[in-house]
Amino acid sequence: MSELQFSNLLADSISSLKSPSFTSKLMAFIASIVNYDCAVMLGLRKGKHPIYLYDSIENNRELLFNRYLTSAFQDDPFYKMLTIDEKQGVFSLKDIVKRDLDYQTYCNQFYLQTGWKDEVSILIKVEATRWVVIYLGCIHTRNSFSLLNVETLKSYFAVIQSLCQQHWKQTEFLLAEPVFSPESYTAQRREFIEDGLRSFGKDLLSTREKQIARLILQGLDTKEIAKQLNITEGTVKNHRKRIYAQLRVASLSELFQIFLNHIITH
């Protein structure tokens, strides 16, 4: 890549600050620094589920929501290191797993299913309790990140850090650019949302729990759900508690947040 092309990609990232296209422009800039096969960008807040910001995953994409964003993230060695050390920078998977005795379990139960063979993470502190995490993945062993790749990324960390801080400081984490164009979204919206409701929590909830979760997400309260399903309000409340526990949420707003994550990543 020429110096002019590189400069243009950086300029595009700067120009897109505070706009929905920022994440894709930033990732194009990072791709000019180091080669990767796929990427995920998340917003992290202490004690909360990750917020989906961007991804370029082509295979096994459903794992991002159905497994990672609901529960597996807690066993991610990068996430665990961040919560313990709160350290910014560029980190390779090889370095992180040396510190994590539980990595093999995480690897066997989740990581191997993603198809990723190697990974580098960029951890950026936006504000006191908010972080942006960028995961770069290789799905082909021959493309594994070298020490030179990691060192090159480190040399540009300050630039990436500054861009992310400028974009998200004092600004809520928002989803990336719409998955569909406005015309396509309008045409497919109902089918898209209904499919998301059908598949939400499919690997974690029982049939009845999925049914109640769908009704909650459609705006029905406990009394309305009990009447529709011909069960007691107490039974609905018990199911609701289990739904929250299974999905690791503490409020209706968090339930809606992970449902939005699901719709985007499904």
Side-chain angles (χ1 to χ4, degrees), residues 77-105:
F78 290 108
Y79 176 83
K80 291 166 73 174
M81 185 200 72
L82 173 59
T83 57
I84 295 170
D85 297 342
E86 296 192 0
K87 187 177 180 181
Q88 299 186 82
V90 178
F91 304 92
S92 70
L93 182 62
K94 301 179 186 70
D95 290 336
I96 296 300
V97 298
K98 292 176 184 176
R99 306 174 40 175
D100 191 343
L101 298 178
D102 297 325
Y103 174 70
Q104 198 58 50
T105 301

Side-chain angles (χ1 to χ4, degrees), residues 63-259:
L63 290 173
L64 183 58
F65 171 79
N66 289 337
R67 294 286 302 283
Y68 188 87
L69 289 172
T70 56
S71 59
F73 73 91
Q74 297 175 91
D75 298 317
D76 180 350
F78 290 108
Y79 176 83
K80 291 166 73 174
M81 185 200 72
L82 173 59
T83 57
I84 295 170
D85 297 342
E86 296 192 0
K87 187 177 180 181
Q88 299 186 82
V90 178
F91 304 92
S92 70
L93 182 62
K94 301 179 186 70
D95 290 336
I96 296 300
V97 298
K98 292 176 184 176
R99 306 174 40 175
D100 191 343
L101 298 178
D102 297 325
Y103 174 70
Q104 198 58 50
T105 301
Y106 170 75
C107 189
N108 292 337
Q109 293 181 353
F110 173 77
Y111 196 71
L112 290 176
Q113 298 175 46
T114 67
W116 287 30
K117 302 293 192 266
D118 196 12
E119 187 176 2
V120 165
S121 180
I122 306 172
L123 308 181
I124 299 160
K125 189 173 187 177
V126 175
E127 292 177 312
T129 60
R130 302 199 308 148
W131 293 71
V132 169
V133 182
I134 303 170
Y135 298 98
L136 307 179
C138 289
I139 58 177
H140 304 293
T141 305
R142 65 179 181 275
N143 292 342
S144 294
F145 296 107
S146 66
L147 180 60
L148 178 60
N149 292 147
V150 176
E151 292 302 316
T152 301
L153 267 176
K154 286 181 178 179
S155 70
Y156 286 98
F157 174 76
V159 176
I160 299 169
Q161 175 193 44
S162 179
L163 287 167
C164 288
Q165 289 175 341
Q166 287 295 318
H167 182 71
W168 278 294
K169 198 167 186 178
Q170 298 180 334
T171 302
E172 290 298 321
F173 289 131
L174 299 174
L175 300 176
E177 292 177 287
V179 174
F180 299 124
S181 65
E183 297 80 8
S184 176
Y185 180 75
T186 300
Q188 302 180 41
R189 177 172 54 192
R190 185 172 182 82
E191 181 182 352
F192 182 55
I193 293 175
E194 287 180 352
D195 182 56
L197 286 167
R198 284 193 298 270
S199 58
F200 182 62
K202 67 178 182 180
D203 295 329
L204 296 170
L205 305 178
S206 69
T207 300
R208 177 62 95 183
E209 288 162 358
K210 285 186 288 186
Q211 188 178 31
I212 290 174
R214 286 197 294 269
L215 294 174
I216 293 172
L217 289 166
Q218 291 176 77
L220 277 69
D221 62 22
T222 298
K223 185 175 181 179
E224 292 168 328
I225 294 172
K227 183 177 181 180
Q228 180 160 328
L229 299 181
N230 195 28
I231 56 179
T232 67
E233 291 182 33
T235 300
V236 175
K237 290 177 181 177
N238 288 336
H239 280 303
R240 188 174 189 140
K241 287 179 182 178
R242 179 168 166 77
I243 290 167
Y244 279 26
Q246 288 293 93
L247 296 177
R248 291 182 169 83
V249 298
S251 65
L252 183 59
S253 62
E254 285 190 35
L255 181 67
F256 275 107
Q257 179 61 64
I258 64 169
F259 178 62

Side-chain angles (χ1 to χ4, degrees), residues 15-26 53-54 167-168 174-178:
S15 298
S16 66
L17 284 167
K18 301 297 183 181
S19 79
S21 65
F22 172 73
T23 51
S24 58
K25 299 296 186 183
L26 176 64
L53 300 174
Y54 171 92
H167 182 71
W168 278 294
L174 299 174
L175 300 176
E177 292 177 287

